[in-house]
Amino acid sequence: MISERTQAAIDRFKSKADGPLLEIEGIRKEFPGVVALDDVRLSLRRGTVHALMGENGAGKSTLMKIIAGIYTPERGTIRLRGDEVTLSGPLDALERGIAMIHQELALMPYMTVAENIWIRREPLNRLGLVDHAAMARRTRDLFARLNIAIDPLTEVRFLTVAQRQMVEIAKAVSYDSDVLIMDEPTSALTETEVAHLFAIIRDLKSRGIGIVYITHKMNELFEIADEFSVFRDGRYVGTHASNEVTRDDIIRMMVGRDITDMFPKEPADISDTILSVDGLSLDGVFHDISFDLRKGEILGLAGLVGSGRSNVAEALFGVTPATSGRIRIDGQAVRIASPADAMKHGMAFLTEDRKETGCFLPLSILENMQLAMLQDQNVRLGFVEQRAVNRQCAEMRETLRVKTPSMDERIENLSGGNQQKVLIARWLLTRPRILILDEPTRGIDVGAKAEIHRLISRLAGQGVAVIMISSELPEVLGMSDRIMVMHEGHMTGILDRAEADQVKIMELAAR
Amino acid sequence: EKIGVAMSLFDDNFLTVLRHNIQRHADEMGVEVQMEDAQGDIARQQSQIENFAASGVDGIITMLVDADSGRAMSKIAEEAGVPLVFVNMLPANMETFPEKQAWVGSDEEQAGRLEATEVCKLLEGKGKAVILLGQLGTTGQRGRTKATEEVLAGADCKGIEVLDQQTANWMRTPALDLMTNWITSGMQPDAVISNNDEMALGAIQALKSAGVSMDDVVISGVDATQDALSAMETGDLDVTVYQSAKGQGEGALETVLKIARGETFDQRVTVPFELVTPQNLADYKARN
Amino acid sequence: MDNVQIEPAARKARRLPADLGILMVLVGVALVFEIMGWIFQGQSFLMNPQRLTIMILQVSVVGIIAIGVTQVIITGGIDLSSGSVVAMTAMVAMSFAQAAGYDRAVYPSLTGLPVLVPLAIGLGLGLLAGIVNGQLIARTGIPPFIATLGMMVTARGFAKWYTKGQPISFPTDGFAAIGNGALPVFIFLGVAVIFHILLKYTRYGKFTYAIGANAQAARVSGINVQRHLVKVYALAGLLSGLAGVVTAARAETAQAGMGMMYELDAIAAAVIGGTSLSGGRGKIFGTVIGTLILGLMMSGFTFLRVDAYYQEIVKGVIIVAAVVADTYRQKGRGKAGI
Amino acid sequence: MDNVQIEPAARKARRLPADLGILMVLVGVALVFEIMGWIFQGQSFLMNPQRLTIMILQVSVVGIIAIGVTQVIITGGIDLSSGSVVAMTAMVAMSFAQAAGYDRAVYPSLTGLPVLVPLAIGLGLGLLAGIVNGQLIARTGIPPFIATLGMMVTARGFAKWYTKGQPISFPTDGFAAIGNGALPVFIFLGVAVIFHILLKYTRYGKFTYAIGANAQAARVSGINVQRHLVKVYALAGLLSGLAGVVTAARAETAQAGMGMMYELDAIAAAVIGGTSLSGGRGKIFGTVIGTLILGLMMSGFTFLRVDAYYQEIVKGVIIVAAVVADTYRQKGRGKAGI
Ligand SMILES: Nc1ncnc2c1ncn2[C@@H]1O[C@H](COP(=O)(O)OP(=O)(O)OP(=O)(O)O)[C@@H](O)[C@H]1O
Ligand SMILES: Nc1ncnc2c1ncn2[C@@H]1O[C@H](COP(=O)(O)OP(=O)(O)OP(=O)(O)O)[C@@H](O)[C@H]1O
Ligand SMILES: [Mg+2]
Ligand SMILES: [Mg+2]
């Protein structure tokens, strides 16, 4: 054990000289029916952040999983600190100093935060038993270093998505590895936490760690990355220093065309009030929320993580019904005790947690897409009118550019961004009058994002009322007609499109 | 007086009759009985006997799950000082009974012997037979099968060839399936020797639906249940063996009471099996 | 989507329905029996229509249950009560099916009733047991394992208590006809077709899969999960009731010990046929094949005169081998492991 | 992250061990029996040391298995083979434990061996069965249900085949002593303590929970999931072997029919005790309580002279009621439903 460590230290020292930390060449990876990667390369230097860009399904996560020892490539070489290596599995990768934060959260819900972080590396006492006190202490130390305020003894299932993400980050950091892979670590974070994460990353950089960073957010690229590589359709496109290029250059490399307008907000004809919320509260979670929503209007919902935005949306849709307050639709007081009730009133709700409340992982894309639309119009005598449904689903697949060989593919095998598109399709297919979107473009590439924005805008133009929760302020600002800001379960203000800007929102959100 | 009765299995047809006879006789005598069902599990039966001893019954009657578990049961009762009477199944430790213990029952091998001898006679010592076994490993299956094999190996019956023997777990439907499988494999047995009546009845159903005339096949079972006697009446079943549930039940209850009251008793009370054929059928119709 | 590369060959392989694998296993096992039949018995195993019928006949009762259990397992649940419900419904149905003039009938004044009466009573009782299972699971949120275990014990107890352990025999000819000849086979296959359609083409089916795949997501997608679960368990109960009627009619008697361990055979048939115990995956077709594999073994062993003492050992090995073979075939198609 | 609020009150409620609920159910059921004891029998149910011992004694074999099964279920698996492995190990161990000079011994030349021999053979055979289960599951990736179902059928078949159905009896006094008096109770409780520590305070335990909670996450954390699963099933097999030895020693005989359906009782004990069949959750303490609830019912029914015909009906209802009560208590603590 000790000799192994020493050896590793010696190795690190030797390679410290210079030359890339990690070098990858000629990698090919196939899944049945899909070539996910073909002849790709990547070179990571010490003390740098190397961003990986590309459309959804370009193969970014797949490459990272190869580096982390989870997949074995069909072809290609991996050189770590100058030596060619063959990774026999995740453990091998970890022991060689490669750690990874996964795109899909991978925590054990019924274990504590500390247990999750130190799994397989639990501190033992003299009897060889797990020393829980030491483990908690170590976690506190780690969290103190990273400036994270989460109780190490809480079970992970009680944490919000954002907190879980921070735990994942802490866990990956705790391996003290040379190579750190981050697969869309900020998709569940708001700007404050993102800033926090960047502080951590800068610190790691200064210690000589090399970081591969996957993101779909352009601004992050310029802020944190030293250089970046672009993949398209499983192929390597190019590598550049991030200060040499512009946003549009990158988008062109990624998508192969220009995207002029990220927020194609069309002026909609905002008419009658369709939804009216009055004094809505859920004991201990949020309080006294009141607002009106009109046809054709897009209402943005901004706030920090944990401010209760998702809870309000869940209450409106009957997932966790509110304990007091009143909801009126078309002026009629309604009781929404379950999502089924909400759907009867023409509501639709894209949830924020793709894995927990979104995807039916073992089922096909088609099944996933069609499920919510199987109300009266697409079902006759209990039988699904499959031909009509298939047609609508196929159209939606085109519109949203879902990248898949077939609609019968399991959604499990799709890339994260493509799963998100399928879920958006599920709700659009119900032809809602009130559409609630919680982080709709999480994990979606720029091209598709603009597409989805255009779609939302078009729906609003057709008179659909939209509530959109987003942790990306530019998105909220770019798309909303009005913006409601929340702070710790309270509504702190509603801003009009004209008067809203980042500063005002942050003031209301942080107060 | 309170008597605990630990039965091996409630689902069994013969044991049901035995149980009812104990109950009926107890009611007549004004004795309180409590019945437990071990569901064929030795350990469960052991626990039930322990529970009886702990709740202070005046005596215990048990129909063992298996003969070899007798010793453990004897020990429990002896330590608790409670009288114990084994009914129906002969415990393996019969010879070394402690005081206050006795056996009332019939000898399984005798049943098999009566059954097989009669079948042999009806076949005039030659032909082809299949044997339907009860649940493998149970005392009834072992004793009856052993005796059957012995009889068929004897000088008079050597001409009878056993085509196959398989288990149907004492039950009718599995026997029906098994027999049908045999028939489709091209077997044409002259006799079906079954460890009990239920399986014999299943075999009859299979043979009938295969169009075999019941006059051409000898069917035998053990227990003389109501269903079996009816089948004999219609000429389907040829041989069965009557086991006196009444004799065993009443004998067991009376013996345990004798021990409890400190009267003299026999350590071994045998109630013989009796052969039932269409000739003496009428005598048994009203018995069980 | 133009950019996705699809090699035609690979794609074709994947489009082969997954349950074809287990069908091939069935064929494989059958062929082994066939060859051994020629070697040891000097005759064909398969070329005997009667044997093929009996092969299905003897598992048709388990098969009927297995179909109901399959949809329960697809929702991520389990039904342990089916074997006991078979016993309970067999007893009760038979008590209303006794032939006129049978002097020891359970209800001497209710003999010789038309066959519809016991049939309706049997199905109704099964349905009731299923509804109780479903309500328990949906309303109290206890694990299906416990709810149906409770029903398993209770229904078996009820079957024993009903006539204090006495068997019930001598049905009317009409009732016995339900179990006559190959009728149970047709009932089994009919039920299979109906449930195949139900699961594949109706909203009921789509919801069943969705709940098993992700109950939370199902609820958020507007499915009334509770109500749907009650329906699923109710249908499973109904099929157990049907199985009870068929088995009683076939044996021409009803006994409290009937259907013992059938729940396990039924679950095994479903799982052998590719239904995943973690929910969301499974097909009636697979279950039918799984049931047939069980039937094949029963017939095959008798046919080959495998020593009774070896049969179980061999049976265990075959079950495992069948599923291993199927798993490997699927792995060959490049599915990721854990 | 300063905005993460965990209210102290809410947190404290959360920290109450969840298995306290099922303990309260145990106490509740015991009290009901106590009160009914005074009413109907005019004596105390609980104030009888003999009865309390028997209560645990009669479930200690099931309890030993249940502990092994609990850790299997925590990994998200299941073990159906335990009851049959009990029978198999009982038979084989007993055949090496026969008293010297017993003329019908299975191995006439190997009688009167020291007790360690049959003990080691029994444990070893159980371990072997467990390893086979584990290897099948880990290497071939077939569902644990199928692998252990195969073992269930095979081990039972082996037990029957071993002496062609003949029981094996007349053990040495040393061997019989293993089952004597309250020793099985101590074995059961000792095993419980060991496994409690194993699951709670060792890496073995952490891995077990991690695999059940999220096998994928466990794998990417560097746990060798396959190898760990083999260990878990091996230990479960070892405990089944121990249970086989104890049950044979207690009955002073070994029979092929022993341990029938114990697997179901063991799983029930675990699930009643709060172990989740979907994996990742469960505690040995809960399983012990679950086992005791089963034992309590057996003793209680005999004590109250509940008619055997009603016993099963009542037992089914109590199992369900116990879990429902526990579920409601937990819901009261603010857990969301589906
Ligand atoms: N296990 C799998 N089985 C089959 N196909 C897969 C599997 N995993 C990934 N793919 C396919 O490989 C391709 C690359 O997926 P990958 O997850 O690497 O994309 P990505 O670049 O990370 O996209 P995103 O930005 O959406 O996360 C996609 O077409 C995806 O459908
Ligand atoms: N079921 C629940 N019971 C009690 N508290 C809850 C529950 N669900 C969420 N909370 C708490 O309510 C607060 C608001 O969470 P919510 O997810 O609504 O925030 P959000 O603004 O949408 O942030 P995010 O970006 O993480 O989604 C959090 O502190 C969370 O811990
Ligand atoms: Mg990805
Ligand atoms: Mg949210």
Short mmCIF file of all heavy atoms in Angstrom, two decimals, chain C residues 20-57:
data_model
loop_
_atom_site.label_atom_id
_atom_site.label_comp_id
_atom_site.label_asym_id
_atom_site.label_seq_id
_atom_site.Cartn_x
_atom_site.Cartn_y
_atom_site.Cartn_z
N LEU C 20 -36.94 -13.26 -28.72
CA LEU C 20 -36.59 -14.34 -29.64
C LEU C 20 -35.52 -15.20 -29.00
O LEU C 20 -35.43 -16.40 -29.24
CB LEU C 20 -36.05 -13.74 -30.93
CG LEU C 20 -36.59 -14.45 -32.16
CD1 LEU C 20 -38.06 -14.12 -32.30
CD2 LEU C 20 -35.83 -14.03 -33.39
N GLY C 21 -34.70 -14.58 -28.18
CA GLY C 21 -33.62 -15.31 -27.53
C GLY C 21 -34.16 -16.46 -26.70
O GLY C 21 -33.71 -17.60 -26.82
N ILE C 22 -35.17 -16.15 -25.92
CA ILE C 22 -35.68 -17.18 -25.03
C ILE C 22 -36.45 -18.22 -25.83
O ILE C 22 -36.51 -19.40 -25.47
CB ILE C 22 -36.52 -16.53 -23.90
CG1 ILE C 22 -36.65 -17.50 -22.73
CG2 ILE C 22 -37.87 -16.06 -24.37
CD1 ILE C 22 -35.34 -17.73 -22.01
N LEU C 23 -37.01 -17.79 -26.97
CA LEU C 23 -37.66 -18.75 -27.85
C LEU C 23 -36.64 -19.75 -28.37
O LEU C 23 -36.88 -20.96 -28.43
CB LEU C 23 -38.31 -18.00 -29.03
CG LEU C 23 -39.05 -18.85 -30.04
CD1 LEU C 23 -40.22 -19.57 -29.38
CD2 LEU C 23 -39.57 -18.01 -31.19
N MET C 24 -35.45 -19.21 -28.68
CA MET C 24 -34.40 -20.11 -29.15
C MET C 24 -33.99 -21.08 -28.05
O MET C 24 -33.69 -22.25 -28.31
CB MET C 24 -33.20 -19.30 -29.61
CG MET C 24 -33.37 -18.78 -31.04
SD MET C 24 -32.31 -17.39 -31.42
CE MET C 24 -30.71 -17.98 -30.93
N VAL C 25 -33.98 -20.61 -26.83
CA VAL C 25 -33.66 -21.50 -25.72
C VAL C 25 -34.70 -22.62 -25.64
O VAL C 25 -34.38 -23.80 -25.47
CB VAL C 25 -33.60 -20.72 -24.39
CG1 VAL C 25 -33.48 -21.68 -23.22
CG2 VAL C 25 -32.43 -19.75 -24.40
N LEU C 26 -35.97 -22.23 -25.79
CA LEU C 26 -37.04 -23.23 -25.77
C LEU C 26 -36.79 -24.28 -26.85
O LEU C 26 -36.83 -25.48 -26.60
CB LEU C 26 -38.40 -22.54 -26.00
CG LEU C 26 -39.61 -23.45 -26.16
CD1 LEU C 26 -40.00 -24.05 -24.82
CD2 LEU C 26 -40.80 -22.71 -26.74
N VAL C 27 -36.52 -23.79 -28.05
CA VAL C 27 -36.27 -24.72 -29.15
C VAL C 27 -35.05 -25.60 -28.83
O VAL C 27 -35.06 -26.81 -29.05
CB VAL C 27 -36.05 -23.94 -30.47
CG1 VAL C 27 -35.61 -24.86 -31.58
CG2 VAL C 27 -37.33 -23.21 -30.86
N GLY C 28 -34.03 -24.96 -28.27
CA GLY C 28 -32.83 -25.72 -27.92
C GLY C 28 -33.13 -26.85 -26.95
O GLY C 28 -32.74 -28.01 -27.18
N VAL C 29 -33.83 -26.52 -25.88
CA VAL C 29 -34.16 -27.55 -24.89
C VAL C 29 -34.97 -28.66 -25.54
O VAL C 29 -34.73 -29.85 -25.34
CB VAL C 29 -34.92 -26.94 -23.69
CG1 VAL C 29 -35.34 -28.03 -22.71
CG2 VAL C 29 -34.08 -25.90 -22.98
N ALA C 30 -35.94 -28.25 -26.36
CA ALA C 30 -36.78 -29.24 -27.04
C ALA C 30 -35.93 -30.16 -27.91
O ALA C 30 -36.13 -31.38 -27.92
CB ALA C 30 -37.84 -28.53 -27.88
N LEU C 31 -34.97 -29.58 -28.61
CA LEU C 31 -34.14 -30.40 -29.49
C LEU C 31 -33.31 -31.40 -28.69
O LEU C 31 -33.15 -32.55 -29.10
CB LEU C 31 -33.22 -29.50 -30.34
CG LEU C 31 -33.93 -28.82 -31.51
CD1 LEU C 31 -32.95 -28.01 -32.33
CD2 LEU C 31 -34.63 -29.88 -32.38
N VAL C 32 -32.79 -30.93 -27.55
CA VAL C 32 -32.03 -31.85 -26.72
C VAL C 32 -32.88 -33.05 -26.33
O VAL C 32 -32.47 -34.21 -26.44
CB VAL C 32 -31.49 -31.13 -25.46
CG1 VAL C 32 -30.91 -32.14 -24.48
CG2 VAL C 32 -30.46 -30.10 -25.84
N PHE C 33 -34.12 -32.76 -25.90
CA PHE C 33 -35.01 -33.85 -25.53
C PHE C 33 -35.28 -34.76 -26.74
O PHE C 33 -35.34 -35.97 -26.62
CB PHE C 33 -36.34 -33.31 -24.98
CG PHE C 33 -36.25 -32.89 -23.54
CD1 PHE C 33 -36.61 -31.62 -23.14
CD2 PHE C 33 -35.80 -33.78 -22.57
CE1 PHE C 33 -36.53 -31.23 -21.81
CE2 PHE C 33 -35.72 -33.41 -21.23
CZ PHE C 33 -36.08 -32.13 -20.86
N GLU C 34 -35.44 -34.12 -27.90
CA GLU C 34 -35.73 -34.87 -29.12
C GLU C 34 -34.59 -35.87 -29.41
O GLU C 34 -34.81 -37.06 -29.62
CB GLU C 34 -35.88 -33.89 -30.30
CG GLU C 34 -36.14 -34.53 -31.65
CD GLU C 34 -37.52 -35.16 -31.72
OE1 GLU C 34 -38.40 -34.76 -30.92
OE2 GLU C 34 -37.71 -36.07 -32.54
N ILE C 35 -33.37 -35.33 -29.37
CA ILE C 35 -32.22 -36.18 -29.68
C ILE C 35 -32.09 -37.30 -28.66
O ILE C 35 -31.93 -38.48 -28.99
CB ILE C 35 -30.94 -35.32 -29.71
CG1 ILE C 35 -31.00 -34.36 -30.90
CG2 ILE C 35 -29.70 -36.20 -29.79
CD1 ILE C 35 -29.97 -33.25 -30.84
N MET C 36 -32.23 -36.92 -27.38
CA MET C 36 -32.11 -37.94 -26.34
C MET C 36 -33.24 -38.96 -26.45
O MET C 36 -33.08 -40.12 -26.11
CB MET C 36 -32.06 -37.30 -24.96
CG MET C 36 -30.77 -36.49 -24.82
SD MET C 36 -30.56 -35.64 -23.26
CE MET C 36 -30.67 -36.97 -22.10
N GLY C 37 -34.38 -38.46 -26.92
CA GLY C 37 -35.51 -39.37 -27.12
C GLY C 37 -35.15 -40.46 -28.11
O GLY C 37 -35.41 -41.65 -27.89
N TRP C 38 -34.54 -40.06 -29.22
CA TRP C 38 -34.17 -41.06 -30.24
C TRP C 38 -33.11 -42.01 -29.68
O TRP C 38 -33.17 -43.21 -29.90
CB TRP C 38 -33.65 -40.37 -31.49
CG TRP C 38 -34.79 -39.81 -32.30
CD1 TRP C 38 -35.12 -38.51 -32.48
CD2 TRP C 38 -35.78 -40.57 -32.99
NE1 TRP C 38 -36.24 -38.39 -33.25
CE2 TRP C 38 -36.68 -39.64 -33.58
CE3 TRP C 38 -36.01 -41.94 -33.18
CZ2 TRP C 38 -37.79 -40.04 -34.33
CZ3 TRP C 38 -37.11 -42.33 -33.94
CH2 TRP C 38 -37.98 -41.38 -34.50
N ILE C 39 -32.17 -41.44 -28.94
CA ILE C 39 -31.08 -42.29 -28.45
C ILE C 39 -31.58 -43.28 -27.40
O ILE C 39 -31.35 -44.48 -27.48
CB ILE C 39 -29.96 -41.40 -27.85
CG1 ILE C 39 -29.35 -40.53 -28.95
CG2 ILE C 39 -28.88 -42.27 -27.20
CD1 ILE C 39 -28.31 -39.55 -28.46
N PHE C 40 -32.30 -42.75 -26.40
CA PHE C 40 -32.62 -43.61 -25.25
C PHE C 40 -33.97 -44.31 -25.36
O PHE C 40 -34.16 -45.37 -24.80
CB PHE C 40 -32.58 -42.80 -23.96
CG PHE C 40 -31.21 -42.28 -23.64
CD1 PHE C 40 -30.91 -40.94 -23.71
CD2 PHE C 40 -30.20 -43.18 -23.27
CE1 PHE C 40 -29.64 -40.48 -23.43
CE2 PHE C 40 -28.93 -42.72 -22.98
CZ PHE C 40 -28.65 -41.37 -23.05
N GLN C 41 -34.91 -43.66 -26.05
CA GLN C 41 -36.24 -44.26 -26.10
C GLN C 41 -36.58 -44.76 -27.49
O GLN C 41 -37.61 -45.38 -27.69
CB GLN C 41 -37.30 -43.24 -25.67
CG GLN C 41 -37.05 -42.61 -24.31
CD GLN C 41 -37.13 -43.62 -23.19
OE1 GLN C 41 -37.87 -44.59 -23.28
NE2 GLN C 41 -36.35 -43.42 -22.14
N GLY C 42 -35.73 -44.43 -28.45
CA GLY C 42 -35.99 -44.86 -29.81
C GLY C 42 -37.25 -44.28 -30.40
O GLY C 42 -37.87 -44.88 -31.28
N GLN C 43 -37.69 -43.12 -29.93
CA GLN C 43 -38.85 -42.50 -30.55
C GLN C 43 -38.74 -40.98 -30.46
O GLN C 43 -37.96 -40.45 -29.69
CB GLN C 43 -40.14 -42.98 -29.89
CG GLN C 43 -40.16 -42.77 -28.39
CD GLN C 43 -41.55 -42.97 -27.81
OE1 GLN C 43 -42.46 -42.22 -28.11
NE2 GLN C 43 -41.71 -44.00 -27.00
N SER C 44 -39.56 -40.31 -31.27
CA SER C 44 -39.51 -38.85 -31.30
C SER C 44 -40.21 -38.28 -30.08
O SER C 44 -41.23 -38.78 -29.63
CB SER C 44 -40.19 -38.35 -32.57
OG SER C 44 -40.41 -36.96 -32.47
N PHE C 45 -39.64 -37.20 -29.57
CA PHE C 45 -40.27 -36.53 -28.45
C PHE C 45 -41.32 -35.54 -28.94
O PHE C 45 -42.41 -35.45 -28.40
CB PHE C 45 -39.18 -35.81 -27.64
CG PHE C 45 -39.70 -34.94 -26.55
CD1 PHE C 45 -40.44 -35.47 -25.50
CD2 PHE C 45 -39.45 -33.57 -26.53
CE1 PHE C 45 -40.92 -34.68 -24.48
CE2 PHE C 45 -39.92 -32.77 -25.51
CZ PHE C 45 -40.66 -33.32 -24.49
N LEU C 46 -40.98 -34.83 -30.00
CA LEU C 46 -41.84 -33.74 -30.43
C LEU C 46 -42.95 -34.17 -31.37
O LEU C 46 -44.03 -33.60 -31.38
CB LEU C 46 -40.99 -32.66 -31.12
CG LEU C 46 -39.99 -31.96 -30.20
CD1 LEU C 46 -39.05 -31.09 -31.00
CD2 LEU C 46 -40.73 -31.13 -29.16
N MET C 47 -42.67 -35.20 -32.20
CA MET C 47 -43.63 -35.59 -33.23
C MET C 47 -44.77 -36.39 -32.63
O MET C 47 -45.08 -37.49 -33.05
CB MET C 47 -42.95 -36.43 -34.31
CG MET C 47 -41.83 -35.73 -35.04
SD MET C 47 -42.44 -34.31 -35.91
CE MET C 47 -41.38 -33.03 -35.29
N ASN C 48 -45.37 -35.83 -31.61
CA ASN C 48 -46.45 -36.53 -30.96
C ASN C 48 -47.43 -35.47 -30.49
O ASN C 48 -47.24 -34.86 -29.44
CB ASN C 48 -45.88 -37.33 -29.78
CG ASN C 48 -46.94 -38.15 -29.10
OD1 ASN C 48 -48.12 -37.78 -29.10
ND2 ASN C 48 -46.54 -39.27 -28.53
N PRO C 49 -48.47 -35.22 -31.29
CA PRO C 49 -49.35 -34.10 -30.98
C PRO C 49 -49.92 -34.20 -29.57
O PRO C 49 -50.09 -33.20 -28.89
CB PRO C 49 -50.45 -34.20 -32.03
CG PRO C 49 -50.18 -35.41 -32.82
CD PRO C 49 -48.87 -35.98 -32.46
N GLN C 50 -50.16 -35.43 -29.16
CA GLN C 50 -50.75 -35.60 -27.84
C GLN C 50 -49.79 -35.09 -26.76
O GLN C 50 -50.19 -34.42 -25.82
CB GLN C 50 -51.03 -37.08 -27.62
CG GLN C 50 -52.21 -37.31 -26.70
CD GLN C 50 -52.32 -38.77 -26.34
OE1 GLN C 50 -51.77 -39.62 -27.03
NE2 GLN C 50 -53.00 -39.05 -25.26
N ARG C 51 -48.50 -35.41 -26.95
CA ARG C 51 -47.54 -34.96 -25.95
C ARG C 51 -47.41 -33.44 -25.95
O ARG C 51 -47.28 -32.82 -24.90
CB ARG C 51 -46.16 -35.60 -26.18
CG ARG C 51 -45.14 -35.11 -25.19
CD ARG C 51 -44.07 -36.13 -24.87
NE ARG C 51 -43.60 -36.78 -26.06
CZ ARG C 51 -43.51 -38.08 -26.21
NH1 ARG C 51 -43.83 -38.88 -25.23
NH2 ARG C 51 -43.11 -38.60 -27.33
N LEU C 52 -47.46 -32.87 -27.15
CA LEU C 52 -47.37 -31.42 -27.21
C LEU C 52 -48.54 -30.79 -26.46
O LEU C 52 -48.39 -29.80 -25.75
CB LEU C 52 -47.33 -30.94 -28.67
CG LEU C 52 -46.04 -31.33 -29.41
CD1 LEU C 52 -46.07 -30.79 -30.83
CD2 LEU C 52 -44.80 -30.83 -28.68
N THR C 53 -49.73 -31.39 -26.65
CA THR C 53 -50.89 -30.84 -25.95
C THR C 53 -50.71 -30.96 -24.44
O THR C 53 -50.91 -29.99 -23.70
CB THR C 53 -52.17 -31.61 -26.35
OG1 THR C 53 -52.18 -31.72 -27.76
CG2 THR C 53 -53.39 -30.89 -25.86
N ILE C 54 -50.34 -32.13 -23.99
CA ILE C 54 -50.23 -32.33 -22.54
C ILE C 54 -49.15 -31.42 -21.96
O ILE C 54 -49.26 -30.91 -20.86
CB ILE C 54 -49.96 -33.81 -22.19
CG1 ILE C 54 -49.76 -34.01 -20.68
CG2 ILE C 54 -48.75 -34.35 -22.86
CD1 ILE C 54 -51.02 -34.06 -19.94
N MET C 55 -48.14 -31.19 -22.78
CA MET C 55 -47.05 -30.32 -22.34
C MET C 55 -47.59 -28.94 -21.96
O MET C 55 -47.22 -28.37 -20.94
CB MET C 55 -46.06 -30.17 -23.48
CG MET C 55 -44.66 -29.98 -23.08
SD MET C 55 -43.66 -29.82 -24.57
CE MET C 55 -43.91 -28.09 -24.91
N ILE C 56 -48.48 -28.43 -22.80
CA ILE C 56 -49.04 -27.12 -22.49
C ILE C 56 -50.12 -27.26 -21.42
O ILE C 56 -50.25 -26.43 -20.53
CB ILE C 56 -49.63 -26.45 -23.75
CG1 ILE C 56 -48.64 -26.61 -24.92
CG2 ILE C 56 -49.91 -24.99 -23.50
CD1 ILE C 56 -49.12 -25.98 -26.19
N LEU C 57 -50.88 -28.36 -21.56
CA LEU C 57 -52.00 -28.57 -20.64
C LEU C 57 -51.56 -28.51 -19.19
O LEU C 57 -52.16 -27.86 -18.34
CB LEU C 57 -52.62 -29.93 -20.95
CG LEU C 57 -53.98 -30.23 -20.36
CD1 LEU C 57 -55.00 -29.18 -20.77
CD2 LEU C 57 -54.46 -31.62 -20.79
#
